[in-house]
Amino acid sequence: MKKPQSRKTAAKRGNPIDDAMQAAVALHRQGRPEQAARQYAAILKLQPQHADALHYLGIARHQLGDHDEAIRLIGCALALAPGYVDARNNLGNVQKEAGRYADAELSYRGVIAARPDFAAAHNNLGVVLREQDRHAEARDAYRQALAIDPDFAQGWVNLGNALKRLGEIDEALDAYRNALLREPDSPEACRNVAQAMVSKGRHADALDLYRQWEKSKPDNPIVAHHIQACLAALGQAAANPARASDAYVQTVFNGFASTFDEVLADLGYCAPALCAEVAATLLGDARGGLDVLDAGCGTGLCGPLLRPYARRLEGVDLSPGMLDKARARGGYDSLHEAELTAWLGAHPHAYDLVVSSDTLIYFGELEDVLTAAAGALRPGGSLVFTLEEVEDAPPDLRHRLNPHGRYSHAGAYALAALAQAGLEVRELRHVTLRQEAGKPVAGLLIGASRR
């Protein structure tokens, strides 16, 4: 969002309206939108057709969370001054951030028609096209932005993301490299180049990039985890930690919360539905009389599928961002921010059904969490969960930390861990959990009961 700056750069000294406008803009640029909004509103009482005041009051209302009013006010400014390009661009920004992508597209196209060399408008057009799943058009918009401004690092990252989405991995890697050349300390560029290298099997090169990133972000849990994943891929068994750290899981999913559902839908993600199928097999018809835990509930995708079984449905997750999404989705009686093993251990004999969809893929060693789950179940209670599977695993392999940062497990190890926890396997299915890089992700879908 462009910072407020009045178009009247040479206001006449002593003009009260101009003086008030400059004071309001100064407040706004100091990061005080509420005070600025009051000043803009006072100006508009005296001069209702002041386009700058309408425009910047709209920005302030957007910053204060009132998106509908922001769009109305900026629209009024444009009705008075149709050629006010900055206002039209900011209208697109507000519409984009409010999720009105088709409207934002029209605004950005209007900006580009008036100012074809406005690189940011081409980039923002790409963003809203991407949100409408028009990835080839988004790629072309990013390329146009970069033709105007080749040093626009975020534009190169966005282009790389579009190319990767279109399966053009080599071209995506080139785009990410261009971003890194222009902004060597960019975490997003480092991560994307490294991930592209991982997808090409170039684990040593990816490790070098993560090491470079680690120098500028030594305490970043994502960097630390992916260094371990690359080392594991290079055969260093000591780099296979027992589980992903709480900080890694929380950081990743807080950042992923806003797009989680859409991204997984695009990947054909079906783990929640598969878990619901096994729950139905184990429990029969849903009668709403059970105490149910959605263990690693994320954004609440399992919630509507589990609700028919529950007199009480709880969710637990490490990520407050994901819990906010689950809360907005609704259907839970309570949601809790906690580490899963600790939560289960602190609630003995509390549940009739525990479901964990694609959560234990961030655990390597399963014994502790499965023992805690068994303790949290009442006698005869059921546990349903998914794992990513190591197919054709050698006899001595228990689990593997993969370059993408998730664990996969050998089926024999999972069964042994369940038996050790006192859980009896009642359903075991080999399934496809989703697609990744155009390939199916093999999974284990397990239903077990406490003896």
Side-chain angles (χ1 to χ4, degrees):
M1 187 74 67
K2 186 175 179 179
K3 289 184 178 180
Q5 185 173 2
S6 174
R7 291 179 297 161
K8 298 179 180 179
T9 57
K12 294 180 181 179
R13 185 178 300 275
N15 183 317
I17 295 292
D18 290 340
D19 290 346
M21 188 68 196
Q22 288 182 348
V25 167
L27 287 169
H28 209 163
R29 290 174 67 82
Q30 292 166 16
R32 300 161 66 185
E34 190 168 0
Q35 294 93 323
R38 287 198 291 267
Q39 187 87 333
Y40 295 135
I43 292 167
L44 288 167
K45 284 184 179 179
L46 297 171
Q47 193 171 322
Q49 295 188 332
H50 196 297
D52 276 336
L54 286 162
H55 173 203
Y56 290 125
L57 178 57
I59 294 175
R61 295 314 310 168
H62 170 64
Q63 292 168 331
L64 294 168
D66 191 349
H67 309 307
D68 290 340
E69 178 65 1
I71 289 169
R72 187 190 72 80
L73 288 162
I74 301 175
C76 290
L78 287 166
L80 293 167
Y84 195 171
V85 175
D86 286 342
R88 194 170 301 281
N89 187 61
N90 278 331
L91 176 62
N93 293 339
V94 174
Q95 291 165 330
K96 171 170 64 71
E97 292 175 28
R100 302 183 186 183
Y101 302 121
D103 292 340
E105 177 188 348
L106 292 175
S107 294
Y108 291 134
R109 290 194 185 281
V111 172
I112 291 166
R115 196 185 300 174
D117 62 347
F118 196 161
H122 288 281
N123 178 74
N124 288 337
L125 175 61
V127 170
V128 297
L129 290 169
R130 178 199 68 200
E131 294 293 345
Q132 297 175 78
D133 293 326
R134 293 157 61 185
H135 300 289
E137 293 175 77
R139 172 200 60 198
D140 295 342
Y142 296 138
R143 282 177 170 161
Q144 185 60 45
L146 292 163
I148 297 165
D149 183 4
D151 292 325
F152 182 19
Q154 185 60 48
W156 285 110
V157 170
N158 290 343
L159 175 60
N161 291 341
L163 290 165
K164 183 168 67 174
R165 187 62 177 270
L166 292 166
E168 301 171 22
I169 302 300
D170 290 332
E171 294 85 349
L173 186 52
D174 287 340
Y176 292 140
R177 284 198 192 102
N178 273 308
L180 205 55
L181 285 170
R182 288 157 175 82
E183 198 173 321
D185 295 329
S186 165
E188 188 174 7
C190 278
R191 182 179 68 249
N192 280 299
V193 174
Q195 288 176 347
M197 287 176 170
V198 163
S199 71
K200 303 290 285 185
R202 295 169 54 185
H203 305 303
D205 292 334
L207 178 61
D208 288 343
L209 272 171
Y210 282 123
R211 293 287 195 201
Q212 175 183 330
W213 187 6
E214 185 182 37
K215 291 177 183 177
S216 62
K217 299 290 182 181
D219 299 322
N220 187 307
I222 295 176
V223 180
H225 185 74
H226 282 283
I227 286 174
Q228 295 296 313
C230 286
L231 289 170
L234 292 167
Q236 298 191 28
N240 199 1
R243 52 155 296 181
S245 71
D246 290 356
Y248 170 76
V249 173
Q250 192 172 68
T251 303
V252 166
F253 285 98
N254 279 343
F256 195 18
S258 63
T259 58
F260 182 83
D261 292 0
E262 294 80 3
V263 169
L264 289 186
D266 289 343
L267 297 176
Y269 178 63
C270 55
L274 292 170
C275 286
E277 287 180 15
V278 168
T281 299
L282 298 183
L283 301 172
D285 293 337
R287 297 180 181 176
L290 305 180
D291 292 324
V292 181
L293 177 67
D294 188 353
C297 62
T299 62
L301 291 174
C302 283
L305 304 173
L306 300 178
R307 184 74 253 181
Y309 294 94
R311 68 179 176 187
R312 180 170 180 81
L313 175 60
E314 297 183 46
V316 61
D317 202 278
L318 260 174
S319 165
M322 300 292 267
L323 288 168
D324 286 344
K325 291 289 185 179
R327 195 168 290 110
R329 188 186 299 274
Y332 292 88
D333 295 294
S334 61
L335 291 164
H336 312 278
E337 181 185 336
E339 191 279 320
L340 180 57
T341 307
W343 179 267
L344 292 166
H347 293 80
H349 312 297
Y351 303 107
D352 303 296
L353 172 65
V354 174
V355 174
S356 187
S357 172
D358 268 14
T359 297
L360 302 189
I361 58 176
Y362 294 97
F363 290 73
E365 299 292 321
L366 296 174
E367 287 83 358
D368 287 350
V369 68
L370 292 179
T371 297
L377 289 171
R378 295 171 181 141
S382 297
L383 170 67
V384 179
F385 65 99
T386 61
L387 299 169
E388 293 188 13
E389 182 181 12
V390 180
E391 297 180 291
D392 301 321
D396 61 339
L397 181 69
R398 295 154 62 89
H399 53 78
R400 175 186 296 150
L401 176 58
N402 298 300
H404 49 53
R406 304 187 302 273
Y407 288 87
S408 54
H409 294 83
Y413 166 60
L415 295 177
L418 283 160
Q420 181 178 321
L423 292 163
E424 180 181 357
V425 175
R426 295 179 57 194
E427 283 285 321
L428 173 61
R429 302 180 188 178
H430 299 271
V431 297
T432 294
L433 298 171
R434 65 183 169 280
Q435 300 292 313
E436 189 164 290
K439 298 179 181 178
V441 175
L444 293 168
L445 174 62
I446 298 174
S449 295
R450 176 174 172 171
R451 297 193 186 106

